[in-house]
């Protein structure tokens, strides 16, 4: 069951929604062809993941609260580095979508 107020008008509902497609720009995904920059971004991402795994192992092995707390802070910064590296790698491995063009991402 789908409530009529959730359906668009053209499907018999009462929701006034109109889909508009935004045409891609000509060179929207041009950076996907930059193999050198992609390799650098992949290497940076891999290094960040390795650092995060190492920090997590240290955090898990911490025997005292002080050691574990310090390792936890290192793990937090390593996690942030993974997020930053993933964002830097994204344009080289994932095509832009309608959601990018509309500003949702």
């Amino acid at each position: 069951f789908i409530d009529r107020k959730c359906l668009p008008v053209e499907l018999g509902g009462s929701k006034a929604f109109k889909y508009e497609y935004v045409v891609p720009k000509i060179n929207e995904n041009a950076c996907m062809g930059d193999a050198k920059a992609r390799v650098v971004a992949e290497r940076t991402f891999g290094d960040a993941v390795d650092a995060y795994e190492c920090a997590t192992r240290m955090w898990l092995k911490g025997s005292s609260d002080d050691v574990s707390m310090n390792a936890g802070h290192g793990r937090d910064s390593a996690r942030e580095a993974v997020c930053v590296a993933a964002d830097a790698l994204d344009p080289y491995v994932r095509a832009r979508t309608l959601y990018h063009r509309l500003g949702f991402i």
Side-chain angles (χ1 to χ4, degrees):
F1 171 75
I2 300 175
D3 194 353
R4 284 193 187 274
K5 67 181 178 186
C6 295
L7 285 173
V9 173
E10 58 266 8
L11 296 177
S14 61
K15 187 169 187 163
F17 170 79
K18 181 170 176 158
Y19 174 79
E20 292 184 29
Y21 181 72
V22 178
V23 180
K25 295 178 182 154
I26 292 175
N27 289 325
E28 184 173 78
N29 296 310
C31 62
M32 291 182 78
D34 189 353
K36 290 180 183 179
R38 178 183 174 158
V39 168
V40 170
E42 286 174 339
R43 188 174 301 127
T44 303
F45 178 72
D47 292 344
V49 169
D50 291 343
Y52 180 68
E53 289 174 350
C54 181
T56 300
R57 281 192 287 281
M58 289 176 56
W59 176 64
L60 289 171
K61 289 180 182 179
S63 58
S64 69
D65 288 338
D66 290 339
V67 172
S68 184
M69 182 179 275
N70 288 334
H73 291 303
R75 185 171 176 262
D76 291 342
S77 63
R79 183 189 67 232
E80 182 62 30
V82 169
C83 292
V84 169
D87 287 343
L89 176 61
D90 190 65
Y92 301 106
V93 295
R94 190 182 328 270
R96 303 298 90 186
T97 66
L98 177 65
Y99 299 108
H100 290 93
R101 290 180 218 120
L102 292 176
F104 294 131
I105 298 177

